[in-house]
Amino acid sequence: MDKIKIAIAGMGNCASSLIQGLEYYKDKTENDSIGLMHWAIGGFKPSDIEVVAAFDIDKRKVGKDISEAIFSEPNCTTVFCPDVPEKGVKVTMGNVLDGVSDHMVDYEDKYKFIASDETNSTKEDIVKILNESGAEMLLNFMPVGSEEAARFYAECALEANVGFINNMPVFIASTPEWAEKFAAKGLPIIGDDIKAQLGATITHRTLADLFRKRGVKLERTYQLNTGGNTDFLNMLNRSRLSSKKTSKTEAVQSVIGERLADENIHVGPSDYVPWQKDNKLCFLRMEGKLFGDVPMNIELRLSVEDSPNSAGVVIDAIRCCKLALQRNTGGILYSPSAYFMKHPPQQYVDDDAFRMTNEFIEGNRER
């Protein structure tokens, strides 16, 4: 089969896990494909995905082959596939815009941002590279709070006539104005904000849905997350957290049934702990009432490697985007967005989103 040719904006930990995964599963079979929700989608296996272009703004990555850039600082994710061969694809300088928080330049740690000496690429530069590389879709892995940068790359995708997968919490797919732009050009879009394979949000959603189905009245809840990667370092700047907090909170509120008052729900990143690196800890508490108004509570501690936890979901999103391109389906892919993303244009409980996505894959649902 033809390769699925992708471009990546932001060569951080998530991109590292994704590219390692493409190599790791290359020689696997369906029977030993641990960690994938779908082994094949439309006949496409993980090894059928090829990175043909990449963009970043850190000096330690720009100009390097992607096989080397993914292991360059400040990346700190788990190396589960150290032998990624040279791919012949160099990381191109992107456009800085608001893609880095001010405090990360002066942070006294190896995870701080080091600006590239290269001149910013213009929109025309990016579009030219996308077209010449043969990319079919662009994946957005910008840091949280990069509103301008996210919109910049969405515009690049539109002008290059490629699909767009928005893995971060700037609301592109879930904003009607942007969704209409992709629909008008017949280009598929999946978004917003990738939902990990088994992370804090999907666990919180599952428990909230369980409370609702079992007749337990949820009265208050919190989800506190700590980590040591550059995502958590970036989020020390609370001014960049608005969309992230909205995304995570709405992902939980949408399955509760009766919305909780703002003061009774807190969902969001809490602190940066350098030695945790790419490990994320989630501390979750839910309080409610059972039969007879008898109180109960549950507390949970979840420990996961943050970036590999999203990579398998992204691999599925890529293949669903490819199916849409093959079927000439443009605009929002509602089913994959609901299953793969925290803040899709339309929320569904995960059981329904799973069913709908499988129907989409099988060709029994248009979007």
Side-chain angles (χ1 to χ4, degrees), residues 143-177:
V144 170
S146 305
E147 302 271 346
E148 294 177 15
R151 296 188 187 106
F152 171 81
Y153 284 107
E155 286 284 3
C156 290
L158 284 166
E159 293 198 16
N161 289 305
V162 300
F164 193 63
I165 300 177
N166 186 36
N167 297 303
M168 51 89 69
V170 168
F171 304 143
I172 304 293
S174 51
T175 299
E177 176 189 350

mmCIF file of all heavy atoms in Angstrom, residues 143-177:
data_model
loop_
_atom_site.group_PDB
_atom_site.id
_atom_site.type_symbol
_atom_site.label_atom_id
_atom_site.label_comp_id
_atom_site.label_asym_id
_atom_site.label_seq_id
_atom_site.Cartn_x
_atom_site.Cartn_y
_atom_site.Cartn_z
ATOM 1 N N PRO A 143 3.271 23.691 21.984
ATOM 2 C CA PRO A 143 3.047 23.695 23.430
ATOM 3 C C PRO A 143 1.709 24.330 23.808
ATOM 4 O O PRO A 143 1.146 25.125 23.040
ATOM 5 C CB PRO A 143 4.214 24.543 23.960
ATOM 6 C CG PRO A 143 5.229 24.544 22.877
ATOM 7 C CD PRO A 143 4.461 24.450 21.598
ATOM 8 N N VAL A 144 1.230 23.979 24.992
ATOM 9 C CA VAL A 144 -0.002 24.565 25.517
ATOM 10 C C VAL A 144 0.118 26.090 25.526
ATOM 11 O O VAL A 144 1.151 26.649 25.881
ATOM 12 C CB VAL A 144 -0.278 24.046 26.942
ATOM 13 C CG1 VAL A 144 -1.420 24.824 27.591
ATOM 14 C CG2 VAL A 144 -0.598 22.563 26.914
ATOM 15 N N GLY A 145 -0.935 26.760 25.126
ATOM 16 C CA GLY A 145 -0.952 28.219 25.149
ATOM 17 C C GLY A 145 -0.455 28.875 23.879
ATOM 18 O O GLY A 145 -0.459 30.104 23.769
ATOM 19 N N SER A 146 -0.041 28.080 22.902
ATOM 20 C CA SER A 146 0.492 28.637 21.645
ATOM 21 C C SER A 146 -0.655 28.943 20.682
ATOM 22 O O SER A 146 -0.789 28.319 19.625
ATOM 23 C CB SER A 146 1.475 27.647 21.022
ATOM 24 O OG SER A 146 2.496 27.297 21.922
ATOM 25 N N GLU A 147 -1.440 29.935 21.032
ATOM 26 C CA GLU A 147 -2.621 30.279 20.245
ATOM 27 C C GLU A 147 -2.243 30.730 18.833
ATOM 28 O O GLU A 147 -2.793 30.248 17.843
ATOM 29 C CB GLU A 147 -3.408 31.392 20.951
ATOM 30 C CG GLU A 147 -3.871 31.058 22.361
ATOM 31 C CD GLU A 147 -5.226 30.382 22.395
ATOM 32 O OE1 GLU A 147 -5.923 30.416 21.356
ATOM 33 O OE2 GLU A 147 -5.583 29.820 23.443
ATOM 34 N N GLU A 148 -1.306 31.666 18.740
ATOM 35 C CA GLU A 148 -0.919 32.198 17.430
ATOM 36 C C GLU A 148 -0.260 31.117 16.572
ATOM 37 O O GLU A 148 -0.532 31.008 15.368
ATOM 38 C CB GLU A 148 0.030 33.380 17.593
ATOM 39 C CG GLU A 148 -0.585 34.610 18.240
ATOM 40 C CD GLU A 148 0.440 35.714 18.421
ATOM 41 O OE1 GLU A 148 1.520 35.640 17.795
ATOM 42 O OE2 GLU A 148 0.165 36.655 19.195
ATOM 43 N N ALA A 149 0.621 30.335 17.180
ATOM 44 C CA ALA A 149 1.336 29.297 16.427
ATOM 45 C C ALA A 149 0.370 28.234 15.917
ATOM 46 O O ALA A 149 0.503 27.754 14.782
ATOM 47 C CB ALA A 149 2.412 28.666 17.308
ATOM 48 N N ALA A 150 -0.605 27.853 16.730
ATOM 49 C CA ALA A 150 -1.579 26.840 16.305
ATOM 50 C C ALA A 150 -2.373 27.328 15.100
ATOM 51 O O ALA A 150 -2.588 26.590 14.128
ATOM 52 C CB ALA A 150 -2.521 26.495 17.455
ATOM 53 N N ARG A 151 -2.793 28.575 15.142
ATOM 54 C CA ARG A 151 -3.559 29.133 14.018
ATOM 55 C C ARG A 151 -2.679 29.271 12.778
ATOM 56 O O ARG A 151 -3.143 29.080 11.655
ATOM 57 C CB ARG A 151 -4.162 30.480 14.420
ATOM 58 C CG ARG A 151 -5.179 30.366 15.563
ATOM 59 C CD ARG A 151 -5.903 31.672 15.822
ATOM 60 N NE ARG A 151 -6.745 31.562 17.011
ATOM 61 C CZ ARG A 151 -6.464 32.118 18.174
ATOM 62 N NH1 ARG A 151 -5.360 32.835 18.319
ATOM 63 N NH2 ARG A 151 -7.268 31.956 19.211
ATOM 64 N N PHE A 152 -1.414 29.612 12.997
ATOM 65 C CA PHE A 152 -0.473 29.740 11.879
ATOM 66 C C PHE A 152 -0.353 28.413 11.126
ATOM 67 O O PHE A 152 -0.447 28.372 9.891
ATOM 68 C CB PHE A 152 0.897 30.172 12.422
ATOM 69 C CG PHE A 152 2.012 30.129 11.412
ATOM 70 C CD1 PHE A 152 2.192 31.162 10.504
ATOM 71 C CD2 PHE A 152 2.901 29.057 11.372
ATOM 72 C CE1 PHE A 152 3.228 31.132 9.573
ATOM 73 C CE2 PHE A 152 3.938 29.015 10.449
ATOM 74 C CZ PHE A 152 4.100 30.058 9.541
ATOM 75 N N TYR A 153 -0.173 27.319 11.858
ATOM 76 C CA TYR A 153 -0.012 26.019 11.202
ATOM 77 C C TYR A 153 -1.327 25.521 10.610
ATOM 78 O O TYR A 153 -1.330 24.816 9.592
ATOM 79 C CB TYR A 153 0.603 25.010 12.162
ATOM 80 C CG TYR A 153 2.086 25.248 12.352
ATOM 81 C CD1 TYR A 153 2.580 25.777 13.540
ATOM 82 C CD2 TYR A 153 2.987 24.997 11.317
ATOM 83 C CE1 TYR A 153 3.935 26.025 13.703
ATOM 84 C CE2 TYR A 153 4.346 25.244 11.474
ATOM 85 C CZ TYR A 153 4.810 25.764 12.662
ATOM 86 O OH TYR A 153 6.148 26.022 12.805
ATOM 87 N N ALA A 154 -2.450 25.891 11.220
ATOM 88 C CA ALA A 154 -3.745 25.552 10.617
ATOM 89 C C ALA A 154 -3.895 26.257 9.268
ATOM 90 O O ALA A 154 -4.374 25.658 8.293
ATOM 91 C CB ALA A 154 -4.886 25.936 11.548
ATOM 92 N N GLU A 155 -3.487 27.516 9.209
ATOM 93 C CA GLU A 155 -3.525 28.262 7.943
ATOM 94 C C GLU A 155 -2.591 27.630 6.911
ATOM 95 O O GLU A 155 -2.923 27.539 5.726
ATOM 96 C CB GLU A 155 -3.130 29.723 8.181
ATOM 97 C CG GLU A 155 -4.192 30.562 8.865
ATOM 98 C CD GLU A 155 -5.333 30.955 7.938
ATOM 99 O OE1 GLU A 155 -5.323 30.531 6.762
ATOM 100 O OE2 GLU A 155 -6.236 31.659 8.399
ATOM 101 N N CYS A 156 -1.423 27.196 7.361
ATOM 102 C CA CYS A 156 -0.489 26.525 6.448
ATOM 103 C C CYS A 156 -1.110 25.272 5.850
ATOM 104 O O CYS A 156 -0.965 24.993 4.654
ATOM 105 C CB CYS A 156 0.800 26.168 7.184
ATOM 106 S SG CYS A 156 1.831 27.595 7.630
ATOM 107 N N ALA A 157 -1.799 24.500 6.692
ATOM 108 C CA ALA A 157 -2.453 23.276 6.210
ATOM 109 C C ALA A 157 -3.507 23.606 5.162
ATOM 110 O O ALA A 157 -3.611 22.931 4.123
ATOM 111 C CB ALA A 157 -3.084 22.519 7.374
ATOM 112 N N LEU A 158 -4.294 24.642 5.422
ATOM 113 C CA LEU A 158 -5.321 25.046 4.471
ATOM 114 C C LEU A 158 -4.717 25.460 3.136
ATOM 115 O O LEU A 158 -5.189 25.050 2.073
ATOM 116 C CB LEU A 158 -6.140 26.207 5.053
ATOM 117 C CG LEU A 158 -7.165 25.844 6.142
ATOM 118 C CD1 LEU A 158 -7.642 27.093 6.863
ATOM 119 C CD2 LEU A 158 -8.355 25.101 5.535
ATOM 120 N N GLU A 159 -3.659 26.275 3.185
ATOM 121 C CA GLU A 159 -3.061 26.777 1.945
ATOM 122 C C GLU A 159 -2.316 25.671 1.185
ATOM 123 O O GLU A 159 -2.197 25.729 -0.047
ATOM 124 C CB GLU A 159 -2.130 27.948 2.247
ATOM 125 C CG GLU A 159 -2.879 29.175 2.748
ATOM 126 C CD GLU A 159 -2.065 30.454 2.647
ATOM 127 O OE1 GLU A 159 -1.051 30.471 1.920
ATOM 128 O OE2 GLU A 159 -2.464 31.432 3.311
ATOM 129 N N ALA A 160 -1.822 24.667 1.919
ATOM 130 C CA ALA A 160 -1.108 23.555 1.276
ATOM 131 C C ALA A 160 -2.055 22.445 0.846
ATOM 132 O O ALA A 160 -1.634 21.469 0.231
ATOM 133 C CB ALA A 160 -0.056 22.993 2.221
ATOM 134 N N ASN A 161 -3.346 22.596 1.199
ATOM 135 C CA ASN A 161 -4.361 21.588 0.860
ATOM 136 C C ASN A 161 -4.046 20.223 1.472
ATOM 137 O O ASN A 161 -4.058 19.188 0.800
ATOM 138 C CB ASN A 161 -4.520 21.454 -0.656
ATOM 139 C CG ASN A 161 -5.208 22.663 -1.272
ATOM 140 O OD1 ASN A 161 -6.304 23.031 -0.872
ATOM 141 N ND2 ASN A 161 -4.543 23.299 -2.227
ATOM 142 N N VAL A 162 -3.754 20.227 2.779
ATOM 143 C CA VAL A 162 -3.505 18.981 3.502
ATOM 144 C C VAL A 162 -4.444 18.910 4.705
ATOM 145 O O VAL A 162 -4.934 19.927 5.194
ATOM 146 C CB VAL A 162 -2.031 18.872 3.963
ATOM 147 C CG1 VAL A 162 -1.094 18.914 2.764
ATOM 148 C CG2 VAL A 162 -1.668 19.962 4.962
ATOM 149 N N GLY A 163 -4.692 17.689 5.190
ATOM 150 C CA GLY A 163 -5.494 17.510 6.384
ATOM 151 C C GLY A 163 -4.782 18.051 7.610
ATOM 152 O O GLY A 163 -3.577 18.347 7.574
ATOM 153 N N PHE A 164 -5.517 18.180 8.715
ATOM 154 C CA PHE A 164 -4.951 18.781 9.927
ATOM 155 C C PHE A 164 -5.414 17.986 11.138
ATOM 156 O O PHE A 164 -6.607 17.693 11.292
ATOM 157 C CB PHE A 164 -5.407 20.234 10.053
ATOM 158 C CG PHE A 164 -4.653 21.043 11.077
ATOM 159 C CD1 PHE A 164 -3.292 21.285 10.949
ATOM 160 C CD2 PHE A 164 -5.314 21.597 12.171
ATOM 161 C CE1 PHE A 164 -2.599 22.045 11.877
ATOM 162 C CE2 PHE A 164 -4.647 22.362 13.107
ATOM 163 C CZ PHE A 164 -3.276 22.591 12.963
ATOM 164 N N ILE A 165 -4.452 17.608 11.984
ATOM 165 C CA ILE A 165 -4.766 16.938 13.247
ATOM 166 C C ILE A 165 -4.234 17.822 14.365
ATOM 167 O O ILE A 165 -3.018 18.006 14.508
ATOM 168 C CB ILE A 165 -4.135 15.530 13.311
ATOM 169 C CG1 ILE A 165 -4.663 14.662 12.168
ATOM 170 C CG2 ILE A 165 -4.447 14.874 14.659
ATOM 171 C CD1 ILE A 165 -4.039 13.270 12.110
ATOM 172 N N ASN A 166 -5.149 18.376 15.144
ATOM 173 C CA ASN A 166 -4.779 19.328 16.188
ATOM 174 C C ASN A 166 -4.703 18.618 17.531
ATOM 175 O O ASN A 166 -5.718 18.398 18.187
ATOM 176 C CB ASN A 166 -5.784 20.476 16.254
ATOM 177 C CG ASN A 166 -5.345 21.542 17.235
ATOM 178 O OD1 ASN A 166 -4.153 21.825 17.368
ATOM 179 N ND2 ASN A 166 -6.298 22.135 17.938
ATOM 180 N N ASN A 167 -3.476 18.288 17.933
ATOM 181 C CA ASN A 167 -3.269 17.503 19.159
ATOM 182 C C ASN A 167 -3.156 18.351 20.415
ATOM 183 O O ASN A 167 -2.936 17.794 21.494
ATOM 184 C CB ASN A 167 -1.994 16.664 19.010
ATOM 185 C CG ASN A 167 -2.105 15.654 17.897
ATOM 186 O OD1 ASN A 167 -3.003 14.820 17.897
ATOM 187 N ND2 ASN A 167 -1.200 15.715 16.929
ATOM 188 N N MET A 168 -3.265 19.660 20.308
ATOM 189 C CA MET A 168 -3.093 20.509 21.481
ATOM 190 C C MET A 168 -4.331 21.382 21.711
ATOM 191 O O MET A 168 -5.170 21.528 20.820
ATOM 192 C CB MET A 168 -1.819 21.344 21.367
ATOM 193 C CG MET A 168 -1.655 22.111 20.078
ATOM 194 S SD MET A 168 -2.398 23.752 20.144
ATOM 195 C CE MET A 168 -1.322 24.592 21.296
ATOM 196 N N PRO A 169 -4.453 21.932 22.941
ATOM 197 C CA PRO A 169 -5.700 22.602 23.322
ATOM 198 C C PRO A 169 -5.797 24.072 22.923
ATOM 199 O O PRO A 169 -6.021 24.945 23.760
ATOM 200 C CB PRO A 169 -5.711 22.454 24.848
ATOM 201 C CG PRO A 169 -4.267 22.472 25.221
ATOM 202 C CD PRO A 169 -3.557 21.739 24.097
ATOM 203 N N VAL A 170 -5.612 24.355 21.642
ATOM 204 C CA VAL A 170 -6.118 25.598 21.070
ATOM 205 C C VAL A 170 -7.262 25.162 20.183
ATOM 206 O O VAL A 170 -7.126 24.225 19.400
ATOM 207 C CB VAL A 170 -5.036 26.338 20.268
ATOM 208 C CG1 VAL A 170 -5.648 27.460 19.446
ATOM 209 C CG2 VAL A 170 -3.975 26.904 21.209
ATOM 210 N N PHE A 171 -8.403 25.803 20.313
ATOM 211 C CA PHE A 171 -9.620 25.270 19.724
ATOM 212 C C PHE A 171 -9.728 25.654 18.244
ATOM 213 O O PHE A 171 -10.132 26.757 17.898
ATOM 214 C CB PHE A 171 -10.832 25.725 20.528
ATOM 215 C CG PHE A 171 -10.740 25.345 21.985
ATOM 216 C CD1 PHE A 171 -11.207 26.189 22.989
ATOM 217 C CD2 PHE A 171 -10.153 24.137 22.360
ATOM 218 C CE1 PHE A 171 -11.105 25.824 24.325
ATOM 219 C CE2 PHE A 171 -10.050 23.774 23.694
ATOM 220 C CZ PHE A 171 -10.521 24.628 24.686
ATOM 221 N N ILE A 172 -9.358 24.692 17.399
ATOM 222 C CA ILE A 172 -9.430 24.868 15.954
ATOM 223 C C ILE A 172 -10.636 24.093 15.413
ATOM 224 O O ILE A 172 -11.587 24.686 14.915
ATOM 225 C CB ILE A 172 -8.129 24.380 15.268
ATOM 226 C CG1 ILE A 172 -6.901 25.095 15.852
ATOM 227 C CG2 ILE A 172 -8.221 24.590 13.755
ATOM 228 C CD1 ILE A 172 -6.822 26.563 15.573
ATOM 229 N N ALA A 173 -10.612 22.778 15.541
ATOM 230 C CA ALA A 173 -11.735 21.963 15.050
ATOM 231 C C ALA A 173 -13.040 22.334 15.746
ATOM 232 O O ALA A 173 -14.116 22.280 15.137
ATOM 233 C CB ALA A 173 -11.438 20.479 15.250
ATOM 234 N N SER A 174 -12.961 22.693 17.028
ATOM 235 C CA SER A 174 -14.170 22.989 17.796
ATOM 236 C C SER A 174 -14.586 24.458 17.709
ATOM 237 O O SER A 174 -15.464 24.900 18.442
ATOM 238 C CB SER A 174 -13.983 22.577 19.261
ATOM 239 O OG SER A 174 -12.782 23.102 19.794
ATOM 240 N N THR A 175 -13.972 25.211 16.804
ATOM 241 C CA THR A 175 -14.398 26.583 16.512
ATOM 242 C C THR A 175 -15.045 26.590 15.129
ATOM 243 O O THR A 175 -14.381 26.270 14.133
ATOM 244 C CB THR A 175 -13.200 27.551 16.532
ATOM 245 O OG1 THR A 175 -12.603 27.538 17.835
ATOM 246 C CG2 THR A 175 -13.641 28.967 16.195
ATOM 247 N N PRO A 176 -16.335 26.928 15.029
ATOM 248 C CA PRO A 176 -17.054 26.837 13.755
ATOM 249 C C PRO A 176 -16.351 27.553 12.600
ATOM 250 O O PRO A 176 -16.336 27.040 11.476
ATOM 251 C CB PRO A 176 -18.412 27.481 14.074
ATOM 252 C CG PRO A 176 -18.609 27.208 15.533
ATOM 253 C CD PRO A 176 -17.237 27.320 16.135
ATOM 254 N N GLU A 177 -15.774 28.709 12.872
ATOM 255 C CA GLU A 177 -15.109 29.462 11.805
ATOM 256 C C GLU A 177 -14.003 28.643 11.141
ATOM 257 O O GLU A 177 -13.884 28.609 9.912
ATOM 258 C CB GLU A 177 -14.519 30.756 12.391
ATOM 259 C CG GLU A 177 -13.714 31.569 11.392
ATOM 260 C CD GLU A 177 -12.976 32.729 12.052
ATOM 261 O OE1 GLU A 177 -13.239 33.013 13.240
ATOM 262 O OE2 GLU A 177 -12.134 33.339 11.373
#
